């Protein structure tokens, strides 16, 4: 069995001939949506159906967490609360923790059921980063965790793990896998990896005891993990997503994780520089896959004609032909394990479903 380790995007609200050609490339195993791909529920459902007809084995994914990271917000989609909303409910007193856990399951159910009703099988959620800028911590500069912000459940890793497990349970209830991010933790670093190369100076044991603790506690539950484009120089000179030490020695061997590892967007600034070199997208993907990623994600390169994306696919094809990118049945098995399970309710049936309606009623106010 060969493998399809690349996730790419499509340009607009309907497939072009170039989109179809790229999605049929044997190395492409997934497609990621953005807000530009959404015009209406009917349109995104038709787009998903066309992709599935073209490639039934393709993973159709979106970054749809709730709060400020929610790609689809209109035409009936629920305005999902942020992860911080659940953390605030947890610490509200009385039975707050139990109510927050129930609401977290409900959030996962609503998120996944609405996406699956539109043919979308996977979301890059939940965020496991700690909120180091939380005022309750008392020791963090205001800039720390700014890129994560209300995407984080809480400062306490035990609370993060508990609420994330509940969200994961809700996603699974609706037949959707999940992805914890950004391993081993992005919350302590101040810089935004979209535009810079963040650095976290702490040592391995300190990180494992704090930011990476949720990954240890959830290692038997997580379906996928996305590493951070952050450099931890006390551990490795390479960002975590390019580091075999982080991905193989720590994540797989020490923490025992057996699911899929998906790179963060390789077009981000934090992924373009490695040990003083400026990488092409193909070089970045090959480095990520060699380090231990199962899937390499490249976003927003189908725009403006998609020349960068075509060059990327051509270079990856050459790497496969030369043996630089060897096939991996294990990598492919982990990708296929992320495909949605069971039949999904259509939108109208979902709106009438008592379990879905109850879950929506449990969601806390958006913060």
């Amino acid at each position: 069995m060969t493998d399809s380790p690349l996730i790419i995007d499509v340009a607009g609200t309907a497939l072009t001939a170039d989109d179809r050609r790229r999605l049929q490339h044997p190395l492409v195993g997934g497609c990621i949506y953005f807000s530009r791909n959404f015009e209406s529920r009917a349109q995104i459902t038709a787009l998903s159906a066309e992709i599935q007809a073209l490639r039934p084995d393709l993973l159709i994914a979106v970054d749809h967490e709730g709060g400020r990271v929610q790609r689809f917000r209109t035409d009936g989609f629920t305005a999902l609360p942020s992860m911080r909303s659940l953390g605030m409910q947890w610490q509200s007193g009385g039975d707050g923790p139990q109510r927050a856990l129930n609401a977290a399951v409900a959030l996962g159910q609503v998120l996944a059921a609405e996406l699956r009703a539109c043919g979308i099988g996977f979301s890059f959620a939940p965020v496991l980063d700690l909120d180091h800028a939380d005022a309750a911590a008392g020791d963090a500069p205001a800039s720390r965790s700014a890129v994560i912000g209300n995407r984080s459940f809480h400062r306490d890793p035990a609370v993060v793990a508990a609420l994330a497990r509940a969200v994961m349970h809700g996603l699974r209830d609706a037949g959707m896998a999940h992805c914890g991010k950004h391993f081993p933790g992005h919350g302590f670093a101040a810089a935004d990896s979209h535009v810079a190369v963040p650095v976290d100076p702490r040592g391995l044991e300190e990180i494992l005891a704090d930011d990476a603790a949720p990954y240890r506690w959830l290692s038997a539950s997580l379906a996928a993990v996305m590493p951070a484009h952050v450099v931890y120089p006390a551990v490795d000179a390479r960002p975590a997503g390019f580091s075999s030490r982080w991905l193989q020695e720590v994540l797989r061997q020490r923490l025992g994780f057996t699911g899929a590892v998906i790179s963060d967007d390789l077009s981000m600034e934090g992924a373009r520089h490695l040990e003083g070199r400026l990488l092409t997208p193909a070089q970045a993907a090959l480095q990520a896959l060699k380090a231990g990623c199962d899937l390499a994600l490249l976003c927003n390169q189908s725009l403006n004609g998609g020349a960068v994306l075509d060059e990327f696919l051509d270079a990856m094809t050459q790497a496969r032909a030369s043996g630089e990118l060897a096939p991996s049945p294990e990598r492919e098995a982990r990708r296929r394990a992320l495909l949605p399970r069971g039949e999904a309710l259509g939108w109208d049936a979902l709106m009438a479903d008592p379990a879905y309606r109850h879950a929506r009623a449990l969601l806390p106010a958006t913060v």
Side-chain angles (χ1 to χ4, degrees):
M1 177 173 62
T2 188
D3 62 329
S4 303
L6 308 180
I7 302 176
I8 63 172
D9 62 289
V10 294
T13 56
L15 293 185
T16 65
D18 284 334
D19 289 327
R20 294 186 189 93
R21 171 177 54 80
R22 293 166 187 147
L23 291 175
Q24 289 179 299
H25 193 289
L27 290 178
V28 172
C31 173
I32 182 170
Y33 286 155
F34 292 91
S35 298
R36 69 171 186 271
N37 301 119
F38 180 84
E39 188 176 80
S40 68
R41 282 190 293 104
Q43 167 270 322
I44 200 72
T45 303
L47 177 60
S48 300
E50 185 177 4
I51 292 172
Q52 286 291 289
L54 196 68
R55 285 281 303 276
D57 67 320
L58 209 68
L59 184 68
I60 301 178
V62 66
D63 219 356
H64 196 85
E65 305 165 2
R68 63 187 171 94
V69 181
Q70 181 174 343
R71 302 304 184 200
F72 313 140
R73 298 175 176 272
T74 60
D75 202 8
F77 273 92
T78 300
L80 298 169
S82 67
M83 301 297 101
R84 179 179 287 168
S85 299
L86 296 168
M88 291 172 64
Q89 190 174 48
W90 177 287
Q91 59 188 36
S92 62
D95 65 348
Q98 297 306 317
R99 288 186 293 110
L101 289 169
N102 205 28
V105 174
L107 185 146
Q109 291 170 333
V110 171
L111 186 161
E114 291 183 355
L115 290 179
R116 291 208 61 201
C118 297
I120 302 161
F122 186 76
S123 179
F124 295 100
V127 170
L128 301 184
D129 298 318
L130 305 188
D131 186 3
H132 283 274
D134 188 340
D139 61 353
S143 60
R144 189 162 289 157
S145 290
V147 65
I148 302 302
N150 67 2
R151 298 168 69 191
S152 173
F153 290 107
H154 206 271
R155 172 61 183 87
D156 185 338
V159 176
V160 170
L163 290 172
R165 191 191 305 275
V167 171
M168 290 155 49
H169 182 86
L171 293 168
R172 283 287 196 197
D173 277 352
M176 183 177 284
H178 35 70
C179 180
K181 60 187 186 183
H182 306 83
F183 176 80
H186 201 314
F188 193 84
D192 181 350
S193 55
H194 290 84
V195 297
V197 183
V199 176
D200 182 337
R202 297 174 299 164
L204 177 61
E205 297 307 321
E206 183 178 358
I207 293 169
L208 288 176
D210 197 11
D211 291 62
Y215 295 92
R216 174 162 51 89
W217 296 327
L218 299 173
S219 61
S221 306
L222 282 165
V225 163
M226 176 176 283
H229 289 323
V230 175
V231 177
Y232 308 84
V235 182
D236 194 345
R238 291 180 162 223
F242 296 125
S243 167
S244 60
R245 183 168 190 206
W246 275 116
L247 300 184
Q248 297 186 43
E249 293 181 23
V250 178
L251 181 62
R252 293 226 184 267
Q253 296 174 21
R254 183 160 177 174
L255 303 187
F257 176 68
T258 61
V261 179
I262 308 173
S263 83
D264 205 346
D265 177 15
L266 295 173
S267 70
M268 292 163 57
E269 192 67 18
R272 298 184 66 240
H273 301 270
L274 184 64
E275 298 172 335
R277 293 185 295 135
L278 182 64
L279 303 180
T280 67
Q283 289 170 336
L286 289 169
Q287 290 294 327
L289 293 169
K290 288 176 182 177
C293 287
D294 297 295
L295 289 157
L297 172 65
L298 185 67
C299 300
N300 298 314
Q301 302 307 309
S302 64
L303 303 174
N304 303 314
V308 172
L309 185 50
D310 286 332
E311 291 171 6
F312 170 69
L313 292 176
D314 287 345
M316 297 302 289
T317 300
Q318 292 171 16
R320 172 57 56 88
S322 70
E324 186 178 8
L325 176 61
S328 170
E330 296 78 14
R331 197 161 55 202
E332 177 66 4
R334 288 191 284 263
R335 182 191 74 84
R336 288 178 177 268
L338 302 179
L339 294 170
R341 305 291 178 89
E343 293 296 321
L345 292 176
W347 193 269
D348 291 342
L350 182 64
M351 294 301 106
D353 180 59
Y356 165 80
R357 292 162 69 96
H358 178 61
R360 278 194 61 173
L362 291 172
L363 298 180
T366 301
V367 176

